[in-house]
Amino acid sequence: MSHLAESKLKLAVFKFASCDGCQLSLLDCEDELLTVAGLVEIAYFLEASSTIVKGPYDITLVEGSITTPHDQQRIQEIRRQSKILITIGACATSGGIQALRNWGDHQEFLKAVYARPDYISSLASSTAIADHVKVEYELRGCPINRHQLLDVIRSLLAGSKPRLPAYGVCVECKLRGTVCIAVARGVPCLGPLTQAGCGAICPAYDRGCYTCFGPAYQANARSLIQHYRSQGITGDSLIPLLRNYNAHAPEFRDISSRLDGKFPLPMTGT
Ligand code: SF4
Ligand code: SF4
């Protein structure tokens, strides 16, 4: 990757179905963003500038999930134009909160929301970018942790491989000295399944983690859910914890579907 550090890198930021919050995290970098902007050429970032420089791009950040047939085509073209493609946020890495529709009736939702649903062209499911194209790195969170984003960009600028946390929220609880609420108080917390990045905010305020930073490396959801079930915690309490921003991440999707006996639609069905 050292060839990337030899000249000013071209950075592009693209958006699919999302709330823009992860792109705003990049803009929220303030002083650090000025440093980054001095080191890279921001070639395409409509949230920040109307200037459009054609690809190919050295680093492409992609926010949002694939929800329309047009999205399916556009992500292929973006992939062709990108040397390194990084997905940012829960929408891009797992389908986001909009993937909750994957368990429902897409046509019924369209009828409920739009006066003329026949004009709408959308897929029955919301899926992660990596379900469609190869992705080099994934930054989790809703929204992402901007320090993680800056670390990744700095590493690429330095020609080194970015290091993202592979450990869970539990490690962050230990680092901040939070007593484990699952062990001490019997609160169903999904921190053991969830990738670090938030600083273990919720357990510090006596609330169980509900997985907004996505699945941790080698998360053993089945075992943890069995443990909570053996403690008398019902599926009705556990499903809402699993089905949030990253509901369609396989680690959470499959176990939550087992709990309610309802399996989601095929990943790219129309
Ligand atoms: S992951 Fe969350 S903050 Fe980021 S774009 Fe999606 S909904 Fe917005
Ligand atoms: S839900 Fe979990 S990952 Fe999200 S902020 Fe709370 S502790 Fe962190």
Side-chain angles (χ1 to χ4, degrees):
M1 227 163 270
S2 57
H3 64 288
L4 287 179
E6 285 162 12
S7 59
K8 229 174 176 185
L9 303 187
K10 272 168 89 175
L11 176 81
V13 185
F14 291 96
K15 166 189 160 63
F16 287 83
S18 63
C19 79
D20 286 21
C22 290
Q23 291 183 74
L24 286 175
S25 297
L26 178 57
L27 290 174
D28 202 24
C29 292
E30 296 174 355
D31 292 348
E32 296 122 316
L33 182 62
L34 292 178
T35 310
V36 170
L39 296 170
V40 300
E41 177 188 4
I42 298 185
Y44 187 103
F45 187 7
L46 294 184
E47 184 96 358
S49 165
S50 54
T51 305
I52 293 178
V53 179
K54 285 190 174 166
Y57 307 109
D58 294 299
I59 303 174
T60 297
L61 305 177
V62 176
E63 176 196 81
S65 64
I66 302 298
T67 58
T68 68
H70 180 242
D71 287 347
Q72 287 180 309
Q73 292 165 5
R74 193 161 69 98
I75 193 59
Q76 299 295 338
E77 179 54 26
I78 289 170
R79 176 67 268 187
R80 277 192 284 278
Q81 295 283 327
S82 307
K83 287 186 187 156
I84 294 178
L85 195 154
I86 304 169
T87 46
I88 58 170
C91 298
T93 58
S94 75
I97 198 107
Q98 56 274 30
L100 290 173
R101 81 193 206 200
N102 300 0
W103 280 270
D105 184 331
H106 171 239
Q107 294 303 332
E108 287 302 313
F109 294 149
L110 285 180
K111 276 189 239 161
V113 174
Y114 298 101
R116 291 297 306 270
D118 42 316
Y119 287 129
I120 306 293
S121 173
S122 65
L123 299 170
S125 58
S126 168
T127 45
I129 300 298
D131 292 329
H132 301 265
V133 294
K134 179 171 178 257
V135 166
E136 271 75 28
Y137 301 102
E138 291 191 323
L139 276 170
R140 300 188 190 281
C142 179
I144 52 168
N145 174 327
R146 67 190 178 95
H147 300 292
Q148 283 185 359
L149 176 62
L150 285 168
D151 275 353
V152 167
I153 294 175
R154 279 196 208 104
S155 298
L156 292 173
L157 287 170
S160 58
K161 191 170 177 213
R163 289 167 61 110
L164 291 166
Y167 48 86
V169 165
C170 295
V171 174
E172 294 187 309
C173 269
K174 302 299 171 286
L175 287 171
R176 69 187 289 165
T178 302
V179 172
C180 177
I181 55 170
V183 173
R185 295 189 32 233
V187 174
C189 175
L190 301 191
L193 308 180
T194 306
Q195 184 174 298
C198 67
I201 299 169
C202 299
Y205 291 95
D206 286 339
R207 176 177 181 161
C209 172
Y210 50 97
T211 70
C212 71
F213 261 75
Y217 178 64
Q218 292 187 329
N220 190 338
R222 194 180 181 125
S223 175
L224 185 70
I225 295 302
Q226 270 173 358
H227 166 72
Y228 286 140
R229 297 276 283 163
S230 74
Q231 305 288 303
I233 297 166
T234 64
D236 286 349
S237 302
L238 295 168
I239 290 169
L241 294 177
L242 291 158
R243 285 197 195 149
N244 272 297
Y245 312 99
N246 292 280
H248 210 244
E251 293 85 344
F252 306 148
R253 178 188 71 207
D254 297 345
I255 193 78
S256 77
S257 295
R258 278 201 189 94
L259 285 173
D260 78 352
K262 221 174 137 187
F263 287 83
L265 293 161
M267 292 213 297
T268 54
T270 53

